Amino acid sequence: MTWEALILLLNSPNARWVLAGSLLLGAGCGLLGTFALLRRRSLMGDVLAHAALPGVALGFWVTGAKSVAPLLVGSLVTGLLGAAAVDGITRHSRIKEETAQALVLSVSYGMGVVLLTVLARTGLGGQSGLNRFLIGQAASLVRSDVLVIGGAALAVTLGVLLFFKELKLLAFDPEFGAGLGLPMALMDRLLMGLVVAAVAVGLQAVGVVLVAALLITPAAAARFWTERLERMAILSAAFGGLAGVAGALISLSRPQLPTGPLVVLVATGLLLISMAFGSSRGLVVQRVRQAGIRRRGLAGGTPVRWEGEAS
Amino acid sequence: MAAATGTVDLAVQTRGLAVAYRKEPVLEGIDLDLPRGTLVGLVGPNGAGKSTLLKALLGLVPLRSGWVRLLGQRGAEARRRVGYVPQRESVDWDFPATVLDVVLMGRYGRIGLFRRPSRHDREAAWQALEQVGMAPYAHRQISQLSGGQQQRVFLARALAQDAALYLMDEPLAGVDAATETAIITLLQELRAAGKTVLVVHHDLNTVEAFFDWLVLLHRRVVAAGPTAEVFTPKHLQAAYGGRLLSLPAPVGSEASAPSGVRL
Amino acid sequence: MTPHDLWILLTAVLVAASLGFVGCFLILRRLAMVGDAISHSVLLGIVVAFLLTGSTGLLPMVLGAGAAGLLSTWMVELLRRAGVQEDAATGISFTAFFGLGVVLLTLHAGDVHLDTQHVLFGDLVYVPFDILAWRGWELGPRAVWTVGGALLIAGLTTWLFFKEFKVIAFDPAFAAVVGLPVAWITWLQTGLVTLVTVAAFESVGAILAVAMLVAPGATAFLLTDRLESMLGLSVLVGVPAAVAGYGLASWFDLSIAGATATMAGLLFALALLLAPHQGLLARWRARRRTPA
């Protein structure tokens, strides 16, 4: 893309709105993703995104509206139902969590697709509508949509900031938190609720299939740079925002390209760079550190032999 | 030190063995020489690396340095003659299998690819079940067993391996008194048959009664040798630190009368 | 019922059977979400294979998809070794692969017969029109041969390696101690998942593939305590789900894949409620009886 084209693009008010929305969305998801990652709930984002699809379809159906708000409400409702289903199945049967997740994910997706085909036949959704929900088309968002999305992303961000220290405890040592008398089970639900909200917002722009990456990838990238939670959260939000803006920008300049995959690819690029060069856990740093240990070990005079097969 | 001839009598021999998870060292500088035909207890505080040591001996975790010899041999060849009893919680007991299915798994290493268990394998499995008193439960689903029964099934699976050396991770944890007696009797029978048994154990009150050798572990080997020499207040203090103070330790004289130590 | 419908139904039944019993081992090894990840990653391989060879023939598709499936598994392993938690590593790698696949697909939208719609939902409706012919003989729809072949390979492999699959699913550490090639068998199982998924892909799409990998096996897991019967039951549950899904879809003119996934979910829900020992009702009753 040339500079002139970029400036031309930025002169369009709608493009500016879309970029602002993507920034808020990416940053909010990145921030929240820090906790989802540390609490080992990364894949729940993926599950809840798929669980939101029937809600999107129902929201569309009931209101017949093209605006985002009813879709958001619908996806919140079925997303929460999906979270409850995973929890209930795991707790009350011998089915393990991963299986329950994959089950809820694929079955609710199937139900969503059924509802969407009904919609497509009644002429409400149409093919473009389907694709928009599956892989995201930020360029098609209008100002009012962006206001809703941006507002919701801000709400998620505020939720995380408000409960920062409780979430920190939850991610780090829930048993200690419970010992302090803090309602850790409730905090776990809160985290899940925030993830549902983030995913419901995110899928409007990035699509159902890939919205989970907004939660996972920036946080995992940030982890390579620091051992401190606060820094990790800020960095993850920055990575998420950057990926959101860059993805939206490319998608705006080449309108046939869907937004979701582009955002994900930018985020993955950031992750790979972090994995190589991250200042705390990056591969280069680790290599250097290990070489140091080995040299010291030899200096100590201990015979070091590597049992190759024991890996 | 121990030349090639000396190691043949040893069931377990390690030198400079070290294991680390990420940057954290879990085991360091482990030098062990366990003679054959002994019943060895492996004790130490929580997080001392007892389970990790067993896994390192079996090649289930990568070694940072050092080497392992089991029954005078190295690597996969040696492991074929080792029976393993992992912690009961390490598997999902909802798995759709019967008691006999699980015990037969002890034979899988010998059966070879593409083959089904032979009549001989089935007989070995039944015999192992008899030995632990679980034969009446052979066709029971494993999720219907009590904790003690699950532990016996794991023991039977190791017996079916027909090994010369057994490594057991807390086989006595959370079992009822009857099972404990049965297991200990079985371990003593194994020793009488010339096998070596290394048992991770958590109950210091029974150590002297059960084991003739003892390894005290706390990231390093604090002490190893015949139980009477190792099970002294000094060594225990060194392994457990302040945590032992809650136990009624005998007064004064450190290593002078080790056999008199009663907890 | 026309021969047209029968071909579609036969394909759906074969898909349900092949995914169902391969999925059992995924469930027992707690790799269900990995199955989901593989089924998404495979898209990239299919697109690349098509762009390279220009054909939608089975061999390039399977090779491309297989390579992508194994590559994504390898990427998960790479990330894990670099210190990323396993679940996060799974999420990162499949979204990256899928994202790249979609971008390539849309960049070449003009000359690709595949489209995202097709890949995500599949299109059983078109199955009867793609006929495999050999020396002028019409051998029936290509999809039937593809999925049938995958089913045969998966079945034979499972039969040959049954005891290894079993012990590794139950206790992988023990399997390693007795000298079984755990890593090798795991790759073989990953390969099988990839194979049945790819074979199912063009007729039913990614979502239904995941649904049929997981739902029948999970249902069977609630109904039996024997691995052999679990495998058999997963097929017995998957097939009626496929038939009912197809019936529902053609009656109301819905997406066949979506309807089948829904029916599979419904069967699971029934088992969850009513299974003889594991069902919620039976458990509730047992609990009421115990204190009395």
Side-chain angles (χ1 to χ4, degrees):
Chain A
M1 191 180 359
T2 60
W3 284 111
E4 293 89 72
L6 183 66
I7 289 163
L8 202 66
L9 190 68
L10 289 180
N11 272 335
S12 135
N14 202 50
R16 285 203 297 255
W17 280 109
V18 168
L19 286 176
S22 306
L23 176 70
L24 284 174
L25 185 63
C29 285
L31 182 65
L32 180 62
T34 307
F35 298 98
L37 181 90
L38 294 174
R39 187 87 184 99
R40 294 173 186 271
R41 289 288 154 80
S42 294
L43 288 177
M44 267 317 270
D46 190 33
V47 176
L48 298 178
H50 289 73
L53 190 63
V56 170
L58 285 175
F60 219 107
W61 202 359
V62 170
T63 62
K66 293 247 188 253
S67 79
V68 164
L71 311 187
L72 208 59
V73 174
S75 47
L76 270 176
V77 171
T78 54
L80 286 173
L81 280 176
V86 171
D87 193 48
I89 292 172
T90 315
R91 197 171 304 186
H92 297 296
S93 82
R94 53 154 70 163
I95 304 285
K96 306 296 177 296
E97 191 178 15
E98 303 77 19
T99 309
Q101 287 177 339
L103 195 68
V104 168
L105 178 154
S106 56
V107 171
S108 44
Y109 199 111
M111 299 199 301
V113 167
V114 166
L115 289 172
L116 285 174
T117 49
V118 174
L119 282 181
R121 205 154 12 93
T122 54
L124 268 174
Q127 294 290 305
S128 62
L130 278 181
N131 260 339
R132 181 183 138 198
F133 294 126
L134 296 179
I135 50 178
Q137 197 55 271
S140 70
L141 294 177
V142 295
R143 186 173 156 235
S144 58
D145 298 338
V146 173
L147 279 178
V148 174
I149 291 175
L154 265 182
V156 168
T157 310
L158 282 178
V160 173
L161 293 179
L162 201 60
F163 293 100
F164 195 87
K165 66 175 190 308
E166 284 82 5
L167 288 171
K168 180 178 177 177
L169 257 172
L170 180 73
F172 176 64
D173 190 352
E175 278 168 32
F176 178 70
L180 289 182
L182 291 167
M184 280 296 129
L186 195 70
M187 292 315 297
D188 214 17
R189 297 254 159 92
L190 174 81
L191 177 65
M192 220 22 72
L194 286 172
V195 171
V196 171
V199 158
V201 184
L203 72 85
Q204 317 290 338
V206 182
V208 166
V209 187
L210 293 173
V211 66
L214 280 187
L215 286 167
I216 307 171
T217 312
R223 186 76 186 91
F224 283 105
W225 294 94
T226 175
E227 301 288 324
R228 300 240 350 239
L229 180 75
E230 286 79 3
R231 283 191 200 144
M232 182 182 163
I234 294 171
L235 210 53
S236 174
F239 284 158
L242 185 61
V245 170
L249 212 52
I250 305 173
S251 162
L252 285 170
S253 64
R254 304 272 308 261
Q256 83 274 23
L257 286 179
T259 320
L262 294 171
V263 174
V264 170
L265 289 181
V266 174
T268 310
L270 289 171
L271 172 89
L272 292 178
I273 293 169
S274 307
M275 186 163 96
F277 303 111
S279 55
S280 174
R281 298 183 154 204
L283 294 179
V284 173
V285 175
Q286 277 192 18
R287 218 22 84 72
V288 170
R289 229 177 263 149
Q290 253 172 19
I293 291 172
R294 213 174 307 171
R295 216 172 311 121
R296 258 176 282 134
L298 287 173
T302 355
V304 181
R305 221 178 302 173
W306 297 81
E307 192 93 325
E309 53 156 356
S311 63
Chain B
M1 234 193 6
T5 48
T7 62
V8 178
D9 309 329
L10 293 175
V12 175
Q13 187 182 29
T14 70
R15 283 295 175 274
L17 182 147
V19 176
Y21 286 137
R22 309 215 108 255
K23 290 166 219 160
E24 289 291 307
V26 185
L27 293 171
E28 284 179 299
I30 306 283
D31 297 338
L32 272 182
D33 292 298
L34 304 180
R36 293 194 188 213
T38 45
L39 179 48
V40 186
L42 176 58
V43 294
N46 283 335
K50 296 174 300 239
S51 294
T52 308
L53 178 55
L54 287 201
K55 288 181 183 150
L57 295 179
L58 289 164
L60 294 175
V61 293
L63 304 185
R64 182 175 268 278
S65 61
W67 53 259
V68 173
R69 233 173 238 171
L70 302 177
L71 305 162
Q73 284 177 313
R74 280 207 187 182
E77 224 19 69
R79 265 174 250 141
R80 272 174 207 282
R81 296 161 65 204
V82 179
Y84 178 42
V85 179
Q87 282 187 20
R88 193 154 40 91
E89 295 80 22
S90 67
V91 302
D92 172 20
W93 290 91
D94 279 333
F95 191 89
T98 62
V99 167
L100 185 62
D101 282 337
V102 172
V103 177
L104 261 176
M105 288 178 189
R107 308 292 302 172
Y108 280 13
R110 295 163 175 266
I111 296 173
L113 287 176
F114 310 129
R115 299 235 183 91
R116 308 272 135 166
S118 67
R119 184 199 294 212
H120 177 69
D121 293 317
R122 292 185 173 277
E123 277 164 9
W126 276 103
Q127 201 189 338
L129 278 174
E130 298 276 359
Q131 274 179 282
V132 300
M134 287 293 289
Y137 298 87
H139 298 292
R140 189 74 73 86
Q141 212 282 324
I142 54 172
S143 65
Q144 299 165 5
L145 303 176
S146 72
Q149 289 170 331
Q150 290 174 349
Q151 198 63 65
R152 289 181 192 217
V153 170
F154 261 9
L155 269 170
R157 183 177 69 169
L159 292 176
Q161 284 182 270
D162 193 17
L165 166 67
Y166 289 92
L167 305 182
M168 306 188 178
D169 203 344
E170 303 238 15
L172 297 167
V175 302
D176 51 288
T179 302
E180 182 174 274
T181 316
I183 291 178
I184 278 301
T185 313
L186 180 73
L187 299 188
Q188 282 161 353
E189 283 168 15
L190 286 173
R191 177 187 49 192
K195 320 264 184 184
T196 313
V197 189
L198 176 59
V199 181
V200 174
H201 194 58
H202 63 286
D203 182 6
L204 288 178
N205 293 304
T206 49
V207 161
E208 283 189 297
F210 290 170
F211 304 110
D212 36 32
W213 264 64
L214 202 60
V215 176
L216 258 178
L217 191 74
H218 190 186
R219 237 179 54 184
R220 298 168 171 278
V221 176
V222 176
T227 306
E229 288 168 26
V230 172
F231 201 65
T232 64
K234 193 182 83 177
H235 285 146
L236 289 172
Q237 188 77 38
Y240 285 83
R243 267 161 290 189
L244 191 68
L245 294 177
S246 56
L247 287 169
V251 248
S253 61
E254 332 155 282
S256 58
S259 57
V261 178
R262 283 274 172 266
L263 290 177
Chain C
M1 216 175 231
T2 62
H4 181 104
D5 292 324
L6 277 177
W7 283 126
I8 293 178
L9 205 54
L10 179 62
T11 313
V13 165
L14 289 174
V15 164
S18 61
L19 291 172
F21 84 91
V22 171
C24 286
F25 288 103
L26 279 185
I27 291 169
L28 293 173
R29 294 195 66 177
R30 305 195 177 191
L31 294 174
M33 288 302 282
V34 173
D36 174 51
I38 289 179
S39 71
H40 283 79
S41 309
V42 160
L43 171 71
L44 177 62
I46 290 183
V47 175
V48 170
F50 178 80
L51 292 178
L52 286 180
T53 67
S55 93
T56 50
L58 179 62
L59 197 65
M61 294 291 112
V62 168
L63 288 182
L70 295 181
L71 259 180
S72 76
T73 315
W74 174 78
M75 182 167 164
V76 170
E77 188 60 27
L78 194 79
L79 288 166
R80 222 177 46 80
R81 287 217 184 133
V84 179
Q85 290 104 315
E86 187 144 13
D87 58 337
T90 309
I92 291 166
S93 107
F94 92 77
T95 49
F97 273 63
F98 190 83
L100 195 56
V102 172
V103 166
L104 284 179
L105 201 56
T106 32
L107 278 179
H108 298 269
D111 39 63
V112 180
H113 145 83
L114 303 156
D115 61 300
T116 34
Q117 208 79 35
H118 189 92
V119 166
L120 289 171
F121 310 133
D123 254 321
L124 274 168
V125 183
Y126 299 124
V127 161
F129 301 113
D130 190 2
I131 300 287
L132 188 73
W134 185 69
R135 293 192 178 181
W137 292 78
E138 290 202 349
L139 299 174
R142 207 163 57 99
V144 171
W145 288 94
T146 314
V147 181
L151 175 62
L152 193 70
I153 293 173
L156 266 176
T157 314
T158 307
W159 183 70
L160 279 175
F161 292 96
F162 186 71
K163 69 177 190 311
E164 284 78 16
F165 281 13
K166 183 174 175 177
V167 64
I168 289 171
F170 177 60
D171 191 348
F174 184 81
V177 169
V178 300
L180 297 175
V182 177
W184 192 81
I185 297 273
T186 304
W187 283 108
L188 183 67
Q189 283 187 319
T190 311
L192 278 190
V193 173
T194 310
L195 176 75
V196 291
T197 312
V198 176
F201 223 81
E202 58 172 346
S203 14
V204 299
I207 345 130
L208 180 56
V210 181
M212 295 315 269
L213 265 179
V214 180
T219 310
F221 188 42
L222 292 176
L223 295 174
T224 177
D225 282 335
R226 303 261 319 158
L227 181 57
E228 291 82 350
S229 1
M230 181 175 161
L231 294 179
L233 272 173
S234 72
V235 175
L236 285 184
V237 171
V239 168
V243 174
Y246 179 68
L248 195 72
S250 47
W251 195 268
F252 294 103
D253 188 21
L254 306 167
S255 145
I256 300 176
T260 308
T262 308
M263 292 319 287
L266 194 67
L267 286 179
F268 173 81
L270 278 178
L272 185 66
L273 274 179
L274 304 174
H277 300 292
Q278 295 297 327
L280 292 181
L281 203 63
R283 283 185 167 210
W284 177 71
R285 272 194 181 157
R287 214 174 311 133
R288 267 207 348 181
R289 217 173 302 138
T290 340

